[in-house]
Coordinates of all heavy atoms in Angstrom, one line a residue:
M10 N 15.6 28.5 -9.9 CA 14.5 29.4 -9.8 C 13.2 28.7 -10.3 O 12.2 28.8 -9.6 CB 14.7 30.7 -10.6 CG 13.6 31.7 -10.5 SD 13.7 32.4 -8.8 CE 12.5 33.7 -8.9
R11 N 13.3 28.0 -11.4 CA 12.1 27.3 -11.9 C 11.6 26.2 -10.8 O 10.5 26.1 -10.6 CB 12.4 26.5 -13.2 CG 11.3 25.9 -13.8 CD 11.5 25.3 -15.1 NE 10.4 24.5 -15.5 CZ 10.2 23.9 -16.6 NH1 11.1 24.1 -17.5 NH2 9.1 23.3 -16.9
G12 N 12.6 25.4 -10.3 CA 12.3 24.5 -9.3 C 11.6 25.1 -8.1 O 10.6 24.6 -7.5
F13 N 12.1 26.3 -7.7 CA 11.5 27.0 -6.5 C 10.0 27.3 -6.9 O 9.1 27.2 -6.1 CB 12.3 28.2 -6.2 CG 11.6 29.1 -5.2 CD1 11.7 28.7 -3.8 CD2 11.0 30.2 -5.5 CE1 11.1 29.5 -2.9 CE2 10.4 31.0 -4.6 CZ 10.4 30.7 -3.2
S14 N 9.8 27.8 -8.1 CA 8.5 28.2 -8.5 C 7.5 27.0 -8.4 O 6.4 27.1 -8.0 CB 8.5 28.8 -9.8 OG 9.2 30.0 -9.8
R15 N 8.0 25.9 -9.0 CA 7.1 24.7 -8.9 C 6.9 24.3 -7.5 O 5.7 23.8 -7.2 CB 7.8 23.5 -9.7 CG 7.9 23.7 -11.2 CD 8.7 22.7 -11.8 NE 8.2 21.3 -11.6 CZ 7.2 20.8 -12.4 NH1 6.8 21.4 -13.4 NH2 6.9 19.5 -12.1
E16 N 7.8 24.4 -6.6 CA 7.7 24.0 -5.2 C 6.6 24.9 -4.6 O 5.7 24.4 -3.8 CB 9.0 24.2 -4.5 CG 8.9 23.7 -3.1 CD 10.3 23.8 -2.4 OE1 11.2 23.1 -2.9 OE2 10.4 24.5 -1.4
V17 N 6.7 26.2 -4.9 CA 5.7 27.1 -4.3 C 4.3 26.8 -4.8 O 3.3 26.8 -4.1 CB 6.1 28.6 -4.5 CG1 5.0 29.5 -4.2 CG2 7.4 29.0 -3.8
L18 N 4.2 26.6 -6.1 CA 2.9 26.3 -6.7 C 2.3 25.0 -6.1 O 1.1 24.9 -5.7 CB 3.0 26.1 -8.2 CG 3.2 27.5 -9.0 CD1 3.5 27.2 -10.4 CD2 2.0 28.3 -8.8
A19 N 3.2 24.0 -5.9 CA 2.7 22.7 -5.4 C 2.3 22.9 -3.9 O 1.2 22.4 -3.5 CB 3.8 21.7 -5.4
R20 N 3.0 23.7 -3.2 CA 2.6 24.0 -1.8 C 1.3 24.7 -1.7 O 0.5 24.3 -0.9 CB 3.7 24.7 -1.0 CG 3.5 24.8 0.5 CD 4.6 25.6 1.1 NE 4.6 27.0 0.6 CZ 5.7 27.7 0.4 NH1 6.9 27.2 0.7 NH2 5.7 28.9 -0.1
D21 N 1.1 25.7 -2.5 CA -0.2 26.4 -2.5 C -1.3 25.5 -2.9 O -2.4 25.6 -2.3 CB -0.1 27.6 -3.5 CG 0.8 28.7 -3.0 OD1 1.2 28.7 -1.8 OD2 1.1 29.6 -3.8
A22 N -1.1 24.6 -3.9 CA -2.1 23.7 -4.3 C -2.4 22.7 -3.2 O -3.6 22.4 -2.9 CB -1.7 23.0 -5.5
A23 N -1.4 22.3 -2.5 CA -1.6 21.3 -1.4 C -2.4 21.9 -0.3 O -3.2 21.1 0.4 CB -0.2 20.8 -0.9
W24 N -2.3 23.1 0.0 CA -3.1 23.8 1.1 C -4.6 23.6 0.8 O -5.4 23.6 1.6 CB -2.7 25.2 1.2 CG -1.6 25.5 2.1 CD1 -0.3 25.8 1.7 CD2 -1.4 25.3 3.5 NE1 0.5 25.9 2.8 CE2 -0.1 25.6 3.9 CE3 -2.4 24.9 4.5 CZ2 0.3 25.5 5.2 CZ3 -2.0 24.8 5.8 CH2 -0.6 25.2 6.2
S25 N -4.9 23.7 -0.5 CA -6.3 23.7 -0.9 C -6.9 22.3 -0.8 O -8.2 22.2 -0.7 CB -6.4 24.0 -2.4 OG -5.9 25.3 -2.6
L26 N -6.1 21.2 -0.7 CA -6.7 19.9 -0.7 C -7.5 19.5 0.5 O -8.4 18.7 0.5 CB -5.6 18.9 -0.9 CG -4.9 18.8 -2.3 CD1 -4.0 17.7 -2.5 CD2 -6.0 18.8 -3.4
A27 N -7.3 20.3 1.6 CA -8.1 20.0 2.8 C -9.6 20.3 2.5 O -10.4 19.8 3.3 CB -7.6 20.9 3.9
D28 N -9.9 21.1 1.5 CA -11.2 21.4 1.2 C -11.9 20.4 0.1 O -12.9 20.6 -0.4 CB -11.4 22.8 0.6 CG -10.9 23.9 1.6 OD1 -11.1 23.6 2.8 OD2 -10.3 24.9 1.2
G29 N -11.1 19.4 -0.3 CA -11.5 18.5 -1.3 C -12.7 17.7 -1.0 O -12.9 17.3 0.2
A30 N -13.5 17.3 -1.9 CA -14.7 16.5 -1.7 C -14.2 15.1 -1.3 O -15.1 14.3 -0.8 CB -15.5 16.5 -3.0
C31 N -13.0 14.7 -1.5 CA -12.6 13.3 -1.2 C -11.9 13.2 0.2 O -11.4 12.1 0.6 CB -11.5 12.8 -2.2 SG -10.1 13.9 -2.2
K32 N -12.0 14.3 1.0 CA -11.2 14.3 2.2 C -11.6 13.2 3.2 O -10.8 12.8 4.1 CB -11.3 15.7 2.9 CG -12.7 16.1 3.4 CD -12.6 17.5 3.9 CE -14.0 17.9 4.3 NZ -14.1 19.3 4.7
D33 N -12.8 12.7 3.1 CA -13.3 11.7 4.1 C -13.4 10.3 3.4 O -14.1 9.4 3.9 CB -14.6 12.0 4.7 CG -14.5 13.3 5.5 OD1 -13.5 13.5 6.2 OD2 -15.5 14.1 5.6
L34 N -12.8 10.2 2.3 CA -12.9 9.0 1.4 C -11.6 8.2 1.3 O -11.3 7.6 0.3 CB -13.5 9.3 0.1 CG -14.8 9.9 0.0 CD1 -15.2 10.4 -1.4 CD2 -15.9 8.9 0.6
T35 N -10.8 8.2 2.3 CA -9.4 7.7 2.2 C -9.4 6.2 1.8 O -8.7 5.8 0.9 CB -8.6 7.9 3.5 OG1 -8.7 9.3 3.9 CG2 -7.2 7.4 3.4
I36 N -10.2 5.5 2.5 CA -10.3 4.0 2.2 C -10.8 3.7 0.8 O -10.2 3.0 0.0 CB -11.1 3.3 3.2 CG1 -10.4 3.4 4.6 CG2 -11.3 1.8 2.9 CD1 -11.3 2.9 5.8
E37 N -11.9 4.4 0.4 CA -12.5 4.2 -0.9 C -11.5 4.6 -2.0 O -11.3 4.0 -3.0 CB -13.8 5.0 -1.1 CG -14.9 4.5 -0.3 CD -15.0 5.1 1.2 OE1 -14.0 5.7 1.6 OE2 -16.0 5.0 1.8
W38 N -10.8 5.8 -1.7 CA -9.9 6.3 -2.7 C -8.7 5.3 -3.0 O -8.4 5.1 -4.1 CB -9.3 7.7 -2.3 CG -9.0 8.5 -3.5 CD1 -7.8 8.6 -4.1 CD2 -10.0 9.3 -4.2 NE1 -8.0 9.5 -5.2 CE2 -9.3 9.9 -5.3 CE3 -11.3 9.6 -4.0 CZ2 -9.9 10.7 -6.1 CZ3 -11.9 10.4 -4.9 CH2 -11.2 11.0 -6.0
S39 N -8.2 4.8 -1.9 CA -7.2 3.8 -2.1 C -7.7 2.6 -2.9 O -6.9 2.1 -3.8 CB -6.7 3.3 -0.7 OG -5.7 2.4 -0.8
R40 N -8.8 2.2 -2.6 CA -9.4 1.0 -3.3 C -9.6 1.4 -4.9 O -9.2 0.6 -5.7 CB -10.7 0.6 -2.8 CG -11.3 -0.7 -3.4 CD -12.5 -1.2 -2.5 NE -13.4 -0.3 -2.0 CZ -14.4 0.3 -2.7 NH1 -14.6 0.0 -4.0 NH2 -15.2 1.2 -2.1
W41 N -10.1 2.6 -5.1 CA -10.3 3.0 -6.5 C -8.9 3.1 -7.2 O -8.8 2.7 -8.4 CB -11.0 4.4 -6.5 CG -12.4 4.3 -6.1 CD1 -13.3 3.2 -6.2 CD2 -13.2 5.3 -5.5 NE1 -14.5 3.5 -5.7 CE2 -14.5 4.8 -5.2 CE3 -13.0 6.6 -5.1 CZ2 -15.5 5.6 -4.7 CZ3 -14.0 7.4 -4.6 CH2 -15.2 6.8 -4.4
E42 N -7.9 3.7 -6.5 CA -6.6 3.8 -7.2 C -6.0 2.4 -7.4 O -5.3 2.2 -8.5 CB -5.7 4.6 -6.3 CG -6.1 6.1 -6.3 CD -5.0 7.0 -5.6 OE1 -4.4 6.5 -4.6 OE2 -4.8 8.1 -6.1
N43 N -6.2 1.5 -6.5 CA -5.7 0.1 -6.7 C -6.4 -0.5 -7.9 O -5.7 -1.2 -8.7 CB -5.8 -0.7 -5.5 CG -4.8 -0.3 -4.4 OD1 -3.8 0.3 -4.7 ND2 -5.2 -0.6 -3.2
T44 N -7.7 -0.3 -8.0 CA -8.4 -0.9 -9.1 C -8.0 -0.3 -10.4 O -7.8 -1.0 -11.4 CB -10.0 -0.7 -8.9 OG1 -10.4 -1.3 -7.7 CG2 -10.7 -1.2 -10.1
F45 N -7.8 1.1 -10.4 CA -7.3 1.7 -11.6 C -5.9 1.2 -12.0 O -5.7 0.9 -13.2 CB -7.2 3.2 -11.4 CG -6.7 4.0 -12.5 CD1 -7.6 4.3 -13.6 CD2 -5.4 4.4 -12.6 CE1 -7.1 5.1 -14.7 CE2 -5.0 5.2 -13.7 CZ -5.8 5.5 -14.7
A46 N -5.0 1.0 -11.1 CA -3.7 0.6 -11.4 C -3.6 -0.8 -11.9 O -2.7 -1.2 -12.7 CB -2.8 0.8 -10.2
A47 N -4.6 -1.6 -11.5 CA -4.6 -3.1 -11.9 C -5.3 -3.3 -13.2 O -5.2 -4.4 -13.8 CB -5.3 -3.9 -10.7
A48 N -6.1 -2.3 -13.7 CA -6.8 -2.5 -14.9 C -5.8 -2.7 -16.0 O -4.9 -2.0 -16.2 CB -7.7 -1.3 -15.1
L49 N -6.2 -3.7 -16.9 CA -5.2 -4.1 -18.0 C -5.6 -3.4 -19.3 O -4.8 -3.4 -20.2 CB -5.2 -5.6 -18.1 CG -4.7 -6.4 -16.9 CD1 -4.8 -7.9 -17.2 CD2 -3.2 -5.9 -16.6
T50 N -6.8 -2.9 -19.4 CA -7.3 -2.3 -20.6 C -7.7 -0.8 -20.4 O -8.0 -0.4 -19.2 CB -8.5 -3.0 -21.2 OG1 -9.6 -2.9 -20.3 CG2 -8.1 -4.5 -21.4
Q51 N -7.7 -0.1 -21.5 CA -8.2 1.3 -21.3 C -9.6 1.4 -20.9 O -10.0 2.2 -20.1 CB -8.0 2.1 -22.7 CG -8.4 3.6 -22.5 CD -8.0 4.3 -23.8 OE1 -7.5 3.8 -24.7 NE2 -8.2 5.6 -23.7
A52 N -10.4 0.5 -21.4 CA -11.8 0.4 -20.9 C -11.9 0.1 -19.4 O -12.7 0.7 -18.7 CB -12.6 -0.7 -21.7
G53 N -11.1 -0.8 -19.0 CA -11.0 -1.1 -17.5 C -10.6 0.2 -16.7 O -11.1 0.4 -15.6
R54 N -9.7 0.8 -17.2 CA -9.1 2.1 -16.5 C -10.2 3.2 -16.5 O -10.4 3.8 -15.5 CB -7.8 2.6 -17.1 CG -6.7 1.6 -16.9 CD -5.5 1.8 -17.9 NE -4.6 2.7 -17.2 CZ -3.7 2.4 -16.3 NH1 -3.8 1.2 -15.8 NH2 -2.9 3.3 -15.8
L55 N -10.9 3.3 -17.6 CA -12.0 4.3 -17.6 C -13.1 3.9 -16.7 O -13.7 4.8 -16.0 CB -12.5 4.5 -19.1 CG -11.6 5.2 -20.0 CD1 -12.1 5.1 -21.4 CD2 -11.4 6.7 -19.6
A56 N -13.4 2.6 -16.6 CA -14.5 2.2 -15.7 C -14.0 2.4 -14.2 O -14.8 2.8 -13.4 CB -14.7 0.7 -15.9
A57 N -12.8 2.2 -14.0 CA -12.3 2.4 -12.6 C -12.3 3.9 -12.2 O -12.3 4.2 -11.0 CB -10.8 1.9 -12.5
L58 N -12.3 4.7 -13.2 CA -12.3 6.2 -12.9 C -13.8 6.7 -12.6 O -13.9 7.8 -12.1 CB -11.8 7.0 -14.1 CG -10.2 7.0 -14.2 CD1 -9.8 7.7 -15.5 CD2 -9.6 7.7 -13.0
A59 N -14.8 5.9 -12.9 CA -16.2 6.4 -12.9 C -16.5 6.9 -11.5 O -17.0 8.1 -11.3 CB -17.1 5.3 -13.3
A60 N -16.3 6.1 -10.5 CA -16.7 6.5 -9.1 C -15.9 7.7 -8.6 O -16.5 8.7 -8.1 CB -16.6 5.3 -8.2
P61 N -14.6 7.7 -8.6 CA -13.8 8.9 -8.2 C -14.1 10.1 -9.0 O -14.1 11.2 -8.5 CB -12.4 8.5 -8.2 CG -12.3 7.3 -9.1 CD -13.7 6.6 -9.0
A62 N -14.3 10.0 -10.3 CA -14.6 11.1 -11.2 C -15.9 11.8 -10.8 O -16.1 13.0 -10.8 CB -14.6 10.7 -12.6
A63 N -16.8 11.0 -10.3 CA -18.1 11.5 -9.9 C -17.9 12.4 -8.6 O -18.5 13.4 -8.5 CB -19.1 10.4 -9.6
V64 N -17.0 11.9 -7.7 CA -16.7 12.7 -6.5 C -16.0 14.0 -6.9 O -16.4 15.1 -6.5 CB -15.8 11.9 -5.6 CG1 -15.4 12.8 -4.4 CG2 -16.5 10.7 -5.1
C65 N -15.0 13.9 -7.9 CA -14.3 15.1 -8.3 C -15.2 16.1 -9.0 O -14.9 17.3 -9.0 CB -13.1 14.6 -9.2 SG -11.9 13.7 -8.4
S66 N -16.2 15.6 -9.7 CA -17.0 16.5 -10.5 C -17.8 17.5 -9.6 O -18.2 18.6 -10.0 CB -18.0 15.7 -11.3 OG -19.0 15.1 -10.5
A67 N -17.9 17.1 -8.3 CA -18.6 18.0 -7.4 C -17.6 18.8 -6.4 O -18.0 19.4 -5.5 CB -19.6 17.2 -6.5
C68 N -16.3 18.6 -6.7 CA -15.3 19.2 -5.9 C -15.0 20.7 -6.3 O -14.9 21.0 -7.5 CB -14.0 18.3 -6.0 SG -12.7 18.9 -4.9
P69 N -14.8 21.5 -5.3 CA -14.6 22.9 -5.6 C -13.1 23.3 -6.0 O -12.8 24.4 -6.3 CB -15.0 23.7 -4.3 CG -14.7 22.7 -3.3 CD -15.0 21.3 -3.9
I70 N -12.2 22.3 -5.9 CA -10.8 22.6 -6.1 C -10.2 21.7 -7.1 O -9.0 21.4 -7.0 CB -10.0 22.5 -4.8 CG1 -10.2 21.2 -4.2 CG2 -10.4 23.6 -3.8 CD1 -9.2 20.8 -3.1
T71 N -10.9 21.3 -8.1 CA -10.5 20.4 -9.2 C -9.2 21.0 -9.9 O -8.3 20.3 -10.1 CB -11.5 20.1 -10.2 OG1 -12.7 19.7 -9.5 CG2 -11.1 19.1 -11.2
A72 N -9.2 22.2 -10.2 CA -8.0 22.8 -10.9 C -6.8 22.8 -10.1 O -5.7 22.4 -10.5 CB -8.4 24.3 -11.3
E73 N -6.9 23.1 -8.8 CA -5.8 23.1 -7.9 C -5.3 21.6 -7.7 O -4.1 21.4 -7.7 CB -6.1 23.7 -6.5 CG -6.4 25.1 -6.5 CD -7.9 25.5 -6.8 OE1 -8.6 24.6 -7.3 OE2 -8.3 26.6 -6.6
C74 N -6.2 20.7 -7.7 CA -5.8 19.3 -7.5 C -5.1 18.8 -8.7 O -4.1 18.1 -8.6 CB -7.1 18.5 -7.3 SG -6.8 16.8 -7.0
A75 N -5.5 19.1 -9.9 CA -4.8 18.8 -11.1 C -3.4 19.4 -11.2 O -2.4 18.7 -11.6 CB -5.7 19.2 -12.4
D76 N -3.3 20.7 -10.7 CA -2.0 21.3 -10.7 C -1.1 20.6 -9.8 O 0.1 20.3 -10.1 CB -2.2 22.8 -10.2 CG -2.8 23.7 -11.2 OD1 -2.9 23.3 -12.4 OD2 -3.2 24.8 -10.9
L77 N -1.6 20.2 -8.6 CA -0.7 19.5 -7.6 C -0.3 18.2 -8.2 O 0.9 17.8 -8.0 CB -1.4 19.4 -6.3 CG -0.6 18.7 -5.2 CD1 0.7 19.5 -4.9 CD2 -1.5 18.5 -3.9
A78 N -1.2 17.4 -8.8 CA -0.9 16.1 -9.3 C 0.3 16.3 -10.3 O 1.2 15.4 -10.3 CB -2.1 15.5 -10.0
E79 N 0.2 17.3 -11.2 CA 1.3 17.5 -12.2 C 2.6 17.9 -11.5 O 3.6 17.3 -11.8 CB 0.8 18.5 -13.2 CG 1.8 18.7 -14.3 CD 1.2 19.7 -15.3 OE1 0.0 19.8 -15.6 OE2 2.0 20.5 -15.8
L80 N 2.5 18.9 -10.7 CA 3.7 19.5 -10.1 C 4.4 18.5 -9.1 O 5.6 18.6 -9.0 CB 3.3 20.8 -9.3 CG 2.8 21.9 -10.1 CD1 2.2 23.0 -9.3 CD2 4.0 22.5 -10.9
S81 N 3.6 17.6 -8.5 CA 4.2 16.7 -7.5 C 4.6 15.4 -8.1 O 5.2 14.6 -7.4 CB 3.3 16.5 -6.3 OG 2.1 15.8 -6.8
G82 N 4.3 15.2 -9.4 CA 4.6 13.9 -10.0 C 3.8 12.8 -9.5 O 4.2 11.6 -9.4
Y83 N 2.5 13.1 -9.2 CA 1.6 12.1 -8.5 C 1.3 11.0 -9.4 O 1.1 11.1 -10.6 CB 0.3 12.9 -8.2 CG -0.6 12.1 -7.3 CD1 -0.3 11.7 -6.0 CD2 -1.8 11.6 -7.8 CE1 -1.2 10.9 -5.3 CE2 -2.7 10.9 -7.1 CZ -2.4 10.5 -5.8 OH -3.2 9.8 -5.0
T84 N 1.2 9.8 -8.8 CA 0.7 8.6 -9.4 C -0.5 8.1 -8.7 O -0.5 7.9 -7.5 CB 1.8 7.5 -9.4 OG1 2.9 7.9 -10.2 CG2 1.2 6.2 -10.0
G85 N -1.7 8.1 -9.4 CA -2.9 7.7 -8.8 C -4.0 8.4 -9.4 O -3.9 8.8 -10.6
I86 N -5.1 8.7 -8.7 CA -6.3 9.4 -9.3 C -6.4 10.7 -8.6 O -6.4 10.8 -7.4 CB -7.6 8.6 -9.0 CG1 -7.5 7.2 -9.8 CG2 -8.8 9.4 -9.5 CD1 -8.6 6.3 -9.4
A87 N -6.5 11.8 -9.4 CA -6.7 13.1 -9.0 C -7.5 13.9 -10.0 O -7.3 13.7 -11.2 CB -5.3 13.8 -8.7
A88 N -8.3 14.8 -9.5 CA -9.1 15.7 -10.3 C -9.9 14.9 -11.4 O -10.1 15.3 -12.5 CB -8.2 16.7 -11.0
G89 N -10.3 13.7 -11.0 CA -11.1 12.9 -11.9 C -10.3 12.2 -13.0 O -10.9 11.6 -13.9
E90 N -9.0 12.2 -12.9 CA -8.2 11.6 -14.0 C -7.2 10.7 -13.3 O -6.8 10.8 -12.2 CB -7.4 12.7 -14.7 CG -8.3 13.7 -15.4 CD -8.9 13.3 -16.7 OE1 -8.6 12.1 -17.2 OE2 -9.6 14.0 -17.3
G91 N -6.7 9.8 -14.1 CA -5.6 8.9 -13.7 C -4.2 9.6 -14.0 O -4.1 10.1 -15.1
Y92 N -3.3 9.5 -13.1 CA -2.0 10.1 -13.3 C -0.9 9.1 -13.0 O -1.0 8.2 -12.2 CB -1.7 11.3 -12.3 CG -2.4 12.5 -12.7 CD1 -3.8 12.8 -12.3 CD2 -1.8 13.5 -13.5 CE1 -4.4 13.9 -12.7 CE2 -2.5 14.7 -13.9 CZ -3.8 14.8 -13.5 OH -4.4 16.0 -13.8
R93 N 0.2 9.2 -13.8 CA 1.4 8.4 -13.5 C 2.6 9.3 -13.6 O 2.8 10.0 -14.6 CB 1.5 7.3 -14.6 CG 2.7 6.4 -14.3 CD 2.9 5.3 -15.4 NE 1.8 4.4 -15.4 CZ 1.7 3.3 -14.7 NH1 2.8 2.9 -14.1 NH2 0.7 2.6 -14.8
N94 N 3.2 9.5 -12.5 CA 4.4 10.4 -12.4 C 4.0 11.8 -12.9 O 4.8 12.5 -13.6 CB 5.6 9.9 -13.2 CG 6.0 8.5 -12.7 OD1 6.1 8.3 -11.4 ND2 6.4 7.6 -13.6
G95 N 2.8 12.3 -12.5 CA 2.4 13.6 -12.8 C 1.9 13.8 -14.2 O 1.5 15.0 -14.6
R96 N 1.7 12.8 -15.0 CA 1.2 12.9 -16.3 C -0.1 12.1 -16.5 O -0.2 11.0 -15.8 CB 2.2 12.4 -17.4 CG 3.4 13.3 -17.4 CD 4.5 12.8 -18.4 NE 5.6 13.5 -18.4 CZ 6.0 14.4 -19.4 NH1 5.3 14.5 -20.4 NH2 7.1 15.0 -19.2
L97 N -1.1 12.5 -17.3 CA -2.3 11.8 -17.4 C -2.0 10.4 -17.9 O -1.1 10.2 -18.8 CB -3.2 12.5 -18.5 CG -3.8 13.8 -18.0 CD1 -4.6 14.5 -19.2 CD2 -4.7 13.6 -16.8
D98 N -2.7 9.4 -17.3 CA -2.4 8.0 -17.6 C -3.7 7.3 -17.9 O -4.3 6.7 -17.0 CB -1.8 7.4 -16.3 CG -1.4 6.0 -16.5 OD1 -1.3 5.5 -17.7 OD2 -1.4 5.3 -15.5
L99 N -4.1 7.4 -19.2 CA -5.4 6.7 -19.5 C -5.1 5.4 -20.2 O -5.9 4.5 -20.3 CB -6.2 7.6 -20.4 CG -7.0 8.6 -19.7 CD1 -7.8 9.5 -20.6 CD2 -7.9 8.0 -18.6
A100 N -4.0 5.2 -20.8 CA -3.6 4.0 -21.6 C -2.3 3.4 -21.0 O -1.4 4.1 -20.9 CB -3.5 4.3 -23.0
R101 N -2.4 2.2 -20.7 CA -1.2 1.5 -20.3 C -0.2 1.5 -21.4 O -0.5 1.0 -22.5 CB -1.5 0.1 -19.8 CG -0.3 -0.6 -19.2 CD -0.8 -1.9 -18.6 NE -1.6 -1.8 -17.5 CZ -1.2 -1.8 -16.2 NH1 0.0 -2.0 -16.0 NH2 -2.0 -1.6 -15.2
Q102 N 1.0 2.0 -21.2 CA 2.0 2.1 -22.3 C 2.8 0.8 -22.3 O 3.2 0.3 -21.2 CB 3.0 3.2 -22.0 CG 2.3 4.6 -21.9 CD 2.2 5.3 -23.2 OE1 3.1 5.1 -24.0 NE2 1.2 6.0 -23.4
R103 N 3.0 0.3 -23.5 CA 3.9 -0.9 -23.6 C 5.3 -0.5 -23.5 O 5.7 0.6 -24.0 CB 3.7 -1.6 -24.9 CG 2.4 -2.4 -25.0 CD 2.5 -3.1 -26.4 NE 1.3 -3.9 -26.5 CZ 1.0 -4.6 -27.5 NH1 1.9 -4.7 -28.5 NH2 -0.1 -5.3 -27.7
H104 N 6.2 -1.3 -23.0 CA 7.6 -1.1 -23.0 C 8.1 -1.2 -24.5 O 7.5 -2.1 -25.2 CB 8.3 -2.1 -22.1 CG 9.8 -1.8 -22.0 ND1 10.7 -2.1 -23.0 CD2 10.4 -1.2 -21.0 CE1 11.9 -1.7 -22.6 NE2 11.8 -1.1 -21.4
P105 N 8.9 -0.3 -25.0 CA 9.4 -0.4 -26.4 C 9.8 -1.7 -26.8 O 9.5 -2.1 -28.0 CB 10.5 0.6 -26.4 CG 10.3 1.5 -25.3 CD 9.6 0.7 -24.2
R106 N 10.4 -2.5 -26.0 CA 10.8 -3.9 -26.4 C 9.6 -4.8 -26.5 O 9.8 -5.9 -27.1 CB 11.8 -4.5 -25.3 CG 13.1 -3.8 -25.3 CD 14.0 -4.4 -24.3 NE 15.2 -3.6 -24.2 CZ 16.0 -3.7 -23.1 NH1 15.7 -4.5 -22.1 NH2 17.0 -2.9 -23.0
Q107 N 8.5 -4.5 -26.0 CA 7.3 -5.3 -26.1 C 6.5 -5.0 -27.3 O 5.5 -5.7 -27.6 CB 6.4 -5.2 -24.9 CG 7.1 -5.6 -23.6 CD 6.2 -5.3 -22.4 OE1 5.6 -4.3 -22.3 NE2 6.2 -6.3 -21.5
R108 N 6.8 -4.0 -28.1 CA 6.1 -3.6 -29.2 C 6.3 -4.6 -30.4 O 7.5 -5.0 -30.6 CB 6.4 -2.2 -29.7 CG 5.9 -1.2 -28.7 CD 5.8 0.2 -29.3 NE 5.2 1.1 -28.4 CZ 5.8 2.2 -27.9 NH1 6.9 2.6 -28.4 NH2 5.2 3.0 -27.0
R109 N 5.3 -4.9 -31.1 CA 5.5 -5.7 -32.3 C 6.0 -4.9 -33.5 O 5.7 -3.7 -33.6 CB 4.1 -6.3 -32.7 CG 3.6 -7.3 -31.7 CD 2.4 -7.9 -32.1 NE 1.9 -8.7 -31.1 CZ 0.9 -9.7 -31.2 NH1 0.4 -9.9 -32.4 NH2 0.5 -10.4 -30.3
T110 N 6.9 -5.5 -34.3 CA 7.5 -4.7 -35.3 C 7.0 -5.1 -36.7 O 7.3 -4.5 -37.6 CB 9.0 -5.0 -35.3 OG1 9.3 -6.4 -35.4 CG2 9.6 -4.4 -34.0
A111 N 6.1 -6.2 -36.8 CA 5.7 -6.6 -38.1 C 4.5 -5.9 -38.6 O 3.7 -5.3 -38.1 CB 5.3 -8.1 -38.0
Ligands
LIG2 S1 -10.6 17.1 -7.3 FE1 -11.0 15.0 -6.7 S2 -9.1 14.1 -6.0 FE2 -8.9 16.4 -6.1 S3 -9.4 17.1 -4.0 FE3 -11.2 17.2 -5.3 S4 -12.3 15.2 -4.9 FE4 -10.2 15.0 -4.2

């Protein structure tokens, strides 16, 4: 039942995306997402979000977009934020084996 509810919510949110402010920015959006994904620092990732976040700030469906990103497990930029597997992704996480212990 819970999976069905998430599916319905995601479908409803997806219908709204046709009204998004980014609908004609496919090429730019892909470039912005690639830049965001390649950024090695949090400062770099925040800088990469500046242009798409400006577009999202004028978008009438930001809440629906954020819901869809979460529900669909999206990786990329949505609703002015970076997402990885449906979760906010502002800081590149180190693999536990890469953490220093000293
Ligand atoms: S909130 Fe941003 S990513 Fe989502 S539909 Fe609007 S412009 Fe596009």
Side-chain angles (χ1 to χ4, degrees):
M10 186 69 172
R11 181 176 174 176
F13 175 76
S14 296
R15 289 174 59 88
E16 184 176 301
V17 170
L18 287 171
R20 188 180 62 216
D21 288 349
W24 277 108
S25 302
L26 291 187
D28 299 326
C31 62
K32 65 183 177 187
D33 296 323
L34 300 173
T35 305
I36 294 171
E37 291 90 342
W38 210 268
S39 178
R40 184 167 43 82
W41 290 333
E42 288 189 323
N43 288 337
T44 300
F45 179 80
L49 297 177
T50 64
Q51 185 170 1
R54 294 166 88 75
L55 288 172
L58 282 175
V64 175
C65 295
S66 70
C68 183
I70 56 162
T71 305
E73 292 87 345
C74 184
D76 286 347
L77 183 60
E79 182 179 324
L80 291 166
S81 67
Y83 187 66
T84 295
I86 297 172
E90 304 281 357
Y92 284 85
R93 181 181 298 266
N94 298 323
R96 295 177 185 251
L97 289 175
D98 179 27
L99 284 178
R101 187 175 290 266
Q102 303 268 329
R103 285 186 181 183
H104 188 279
R106 291 183 190 158
Q107 294 175 319
R108 291 197 176 126
R109 295 182 183 197
T110 56

